[in-house]
Amino acid sequence: MTVQLAEPSPAKSQAGSGARSGASVGDLARRPETGALIGTISVFVFFAIFGGGQFLSAGGAASWLNVAAELGIIAIPVGLLMVAGELDLSVGSVLASSSMTVAIISGYWGAPVIVGIVAALALGLAVGFLNGLLVTRTNVPSFIVTLATLSGLSGLTLGLSRVITGTTSVAIDPGQPAKQLLGTLVGGKFEVAIFWWIAAVLVVGWLLHVSPYGNWVFAVGGDKESARATGIPVQGVKITLFMASGLGAASVGVIQTMLYNSAQVANGQSFVFNSIIAVVIGGVLLTGGYGSVLGIVLGTLTFAIVSQGIYYTGWNSDWAALILGVLILAAVLMNNTFRRMALSTAPRTKRKG
């Protein structure tokens, strides 16, 4: 089976050609993550200069790497959804509800920690499946569907938490084994979440850029009707990606509960737009069909460096929002430039899927 790719083919073919024959400067300039790389290097140098030794210390590195790890676990599947032409705004509520699930089951009710973790992850998968099913069966834009899920699940979590526990914050003693796996600190500074993030990057990177499934994702985001005509299970691909997004958000909810030994219904709402910002900075198009896992990683690092680096400069932290806003605009303009370069020079090709 062959798939005619319109916009995604440059992104994948450029990634492959560099590995086979050596990348020239022109080749690198046409890669989807080039703009994100320039952004990451720029903000790192900026805060290394103005943040001084504290920013470059182990504690400084831990501050933005820990933020990047938690955000990255969510941003990677959200980015894949955006490559496929969809959005998921429900990740904040999924994180909070999953966090409360493990805390209530294993903290308030006293069940084994593994039971609470499995239930929390299953909840994330279930919400993702529901989102995917509604989007594919009703053709209602995913922005609307997941916005409704964000609000509805948030209200459900708040209501059930008050009914069951009488409070909106639940403590938990996760036990040492689960804490070491999901929510401890290495050397008192770095979260174990960093290793889970790296694992997710490697697995998803292989799926998107090496396996045939990656062709399906790019094809669905480029032109879903053409993809369907070639035999690609468009609905199945989208539902799977929504489930992955739900699983990523639930995983961070579990990690935070293990790390802080408690859960609150208000957790996670900042991840809704932060994950999208990181993905956009990483060069993924909101219209779908274009992007890379490396770009998402770089976008996540850039966001984390800016959000934490401002505190090491001694400046008013209110400026962080301004810097981030300017960065987003610059990143979008830069990524559009590199994308036009890629599409104007890379030939349209047929790829096996």
Side-chain angles (χ1 to χ4, degrees), residues 45-107:
V45 172
F46 178 86
F47 287 109
I49 294 173
F50 292 98
Q54 287 187 323
F55 175 78
L56 296 175
S57 67
S63 69
W64 53 267
L65 281 174
N66 290 338
V67 170
E70 292 187 3
L71 179 61
I73 292 173
I74 295 177
I76 289 174
V78 167
L80 257 66
L81 258 178
M82 288 174 61
V83 171
E86 303 293 350
L87 281 173
D88 187 357
L89 302 182
S90 67
V91 292
S93 291
V94 172
L95 189 156
S97 62
S98 299
S99 180
M100 289 300 295
T101 295
V102 68
I104 290 173
I105 291 177
S106 300

Side-chain angles (χ1 to χ4, degrees), residues 11 26 39 46 110 116 119-120 144 194 264 326 338 340 353:
F46 178 86
I144 302 299
I194 292 173
Q264 296 182 348
V326 172
F338 288 124
R340 285 195 298 269

Side-chain angles (χ1 to χ4, degrees), residues 99-122:
S99 180
M100 289 300 295
T101 295
V102 68
I104 290 173
I105 291 177
S106 300
Y108 187 77
W109 287 339
V113 173
I114 188 63
V115 175
I117 292 175
V118 170
L121 297 180

Side-chain angles (χ1 to χ4, degrees), residues 271-325:
F271 284 88
V272 176
F273 291 106
N274 288 354
S275 59
I276 295 176
I277 291 171
V279 171
V280 170
I281 293 175
V284 177
L285 295 180
L286 287 170
T287 52
Y290 193 83
S292 71
V293 172
L294 178 57
I296 296 172
V297 171
L298 292 171
T300 302
L301 285 172
T302 301
F303 179 90
I305 291 172
V306 172
S307 64
Q308 296 300 302
I310 191 71
Y311 298 106
Y312 293 95
T313 63
W315 302 343
N316 191 323
S317 61
D318 293 341
W319 292 107
L322 173 62
I323 295 174
L324 193 57

Side-chain angles (χ1 to χ4, degrees), residues 3-338:
V3 179
Q4 182 69 37
L5 300 181
E7 292 191 355
S9 56
K12 298 194 76 176
S13 60
Q14 290 296 330
S17 63
R20 289 191 299 269
S21 59
S24 66
V25 174
D27 292 332
L28 292 175
R30 289 186 290 270
R31 294 180 65 93
E33 62 272 3
T34 300
L37 176 61
I38 294 174
T40 303
I41 294 174
S42 299
V43 298
F44 182 84
V45 172
F46 178 86
F47 287 109
I49 294 173
F50 292 98
Q54 287 187 323
F55 175 78
L56 296 175
S57 67
S63 69
W64 53 267
L65 281 174
N66 290 338
V67 170
E70 292 187 3
L71 179 61
I73 292 173
I74 295 177
I76 289 174
V78 167
L80 257 66
L81 258 178
M82 288 174 61
V83 171
E86 303 293 350
L87 281 173
D88 187 357
L89 302 182
S90 67
V91 292
S93 291
V94 172
L95 189 156
S97 62
S98 299
S99 180
M100 289 300 295
T101 295
V102 68
I104 290 173
I105 291 177
S106 300
Y108 187 77
W109 287 339
V113 173
I114 188 63
V115 175
I117 292 175
V118 170
L121 297 180
L123 175 63
L125 288 171
V127 173
F129 177 79
L130 178 62
N131 283 334
L133 194 65
L134 289 173
V135 169
T136 56
R137 294 293 178 87
T138 65
N139 288 323
V140 174
S142 55
F143 178 90
I144 302 299
V145 171
T146 57
L147 183 62
T149 307
L150 171 71
S151 179
L153 186 59
S154 177
L156 184 64
T157 302
L158 175 61
L160 288 179
S161 297
R162 288 192 181 277
V163 168
I164 295 173
T165 69
T167 182
T168 59
S169 178
V170 179
I172 181 175
D173 180 10
Q176 194 63 19
K179 190 173 179 65
Q180 288 179 344
L181 278 174
L182 296 171
T184 191
L185 294 175
V186 179
K189 294 182 177 68
F190 295 92
E191 294 181 14
V192 168
I194 292 173
F195 300 105
W196 290 101
W197 179 37
I198 293 173
V201 168
L202 294 176
V203 171
V204 176
W206 180 84
L207 284 172
L208 186 63
H209 299 295
V210 179
S211 74
Y213 186 80
N215 271 343
W216 290 6
V217 175
F218 279 105
V220 169
D223 188 341
K224 67 178 181 180
E225 296 304 325
S226 297
R228 183 179 289 110
T230 59
I232 293 176
V234 174
Q235 290 189 357
V237 169
K238 289 190 176 185
I239 290 175
T240 300
L241 292 177
F242 273 108
M243 292 178 69
S245 180
L247 180 63
S251 298
V252 175
V254 171
I255 288 171
Q256 289 189 345
T257 304
M258 297 296 108
L259 181 64
Y260 302 113
N261 296 333
S262 65
Q264 296 182 348
V265 295
N267 286 348
Q269 298 307 313
S270 63
F271 284 88
V272 176
F273 291 106
N274 288 354
S275 59
I276 295 176
I277 291 171
V279 171
V280 170
I281 293 175
V284 177
L285 295 180
L286 287 170
T287 52
Y290 193 83
S292 71
V293 172
L294 178 57
I296 296 172
V297 171
L298 292 171
T300 302
L301 285 172
T302 301
F303 179 90
I305 291 172
V306 172
S307 64
Q308 296 300 302
I310 191 71
Y311 298 106
Y312 293 95
T313 63
W315 302 343
N316 191 323
S317 61
D318 293 341
W319 292 107
L322 173 62
I323 295 174
L324 193 57
V326 172
L327 175 64
I328 293 169
L329 180 59
V332 170
L333 294 175
M334 189 185 306
N335 290 331
N336 283 341
T337 299
F338 288 124

